[in-house]
Amino acid sequence: MSKILFLMLFIPTLVFSAEMHQMNENDLQLDISNADTVQNGREWYDRRCSFCHGGQGKGGKGPCLTCGKFTYSANTNMAIFTTISVGITNKSLGGTMGAFGTTIDGMDIVAIVTYLRNEERRRIESGEIKDPYVVQEQMVFPE
């Protein structure tokens, strides 16, 4: 009986403890609290992305990917997914990046984006970077 009570109390916590990331209602929704997905994304990132974008996505030859600012695409999960899949060929944007959509499975690209968003959240919460999503209040001057 105590096992049943434990499961009744514990399982709803698992269901409702997911931390979802979505930039707008039409964006790809990511569970950035899913440890398995985040770890899978970290492993793929370390193998295929860190050479240019640095450890933990902090930037290197390529731009920072965990700062909440995306130079080459809109700051949505879907735009990041698309950039990883099809690459960047327009040199006028400041650089190029190869397409990974044919060498990395779509679900693994989702895992990479999930890892980046998880790492971004961790860096914001630790105070390592300012929260880029906080809207600054405008200063009001008396007339």
Side-chain angles (χ1 to χ4, degrees):
M1 181 67 165
S2 63
K3 287 182 183 179
I4 292 172
L5 181 59
F6 172 77
L7 290 174
M8 288 175 60
L9 295 174
F10 183 70
I11 289 176
T13 303
L14 289 175
V15 172
F16 294 110
S17 67
E19 184 176 350
M20 303 309 283
H21 184 282
Q22 189 175 28
M23 293 302 292
N24 60 55
E25 66 184 31
N26 298 317
D27 194 17
L28 178 64
Q29 191 175 53
L30 305 172
D31 179 1
I32 63 172
S33 63
N34 183 313
D36 292 335
T37 302
V38 171
Q39 181 60 34
N40 182 39
R42 177 182 289 120
E43 290 169 5
W44 274 104
Y45 177 87
D46 288 346
R47 283 194 304 261
R48 303 301 299 273
C49 311
S50 65
F51 179 77
C52 291
H53 294 284
Q56 298 175 308
K58 293 181 180 179
K61 176 182 168 185
C64 178
L65 300 178
T66 57
C67 297
K69 302 170 189 170
F70 291 86
T71 308
Y72 301 112
S73 65
N75 193 20
T76 64
N77 300 327
M78 197 64 222
I80 298 164
F81 176 94
T82 301
T83 300
I84 294 169
S85 297
V86 302
I88 298 170
T89 58
N90 187 347
K91 288 184 181 182
S92 69
L93 293 174
T96 61
M97 182 181 96
F100 292 93
T102 59
T103 60
I104 303 176
D105 180 73
M107 290 308 294
D108 291 324
I109 295 174
V110 168
I112 293 169
V113 179
T114 303
Y115 163 66
L116 294 173
R117 292 302 193 178
N118 176 278
E119 186 62 19
E120 174 187 85
R121 183 208 43 165
R122 185 200 63 75
R123 294 182 71 203
I124 291 168
E125 288 177 355
S126 72
E128 188 177 331
I129 60 171
K130 290 182 180 180
D131 189 340
Y133 307 111
V134 172
V135 178
Q136 299 291 328
E137 290 186 33
Q138 292 184 343
M139 293 179 66
V140 178
F141 297 97
E143 291 184 31

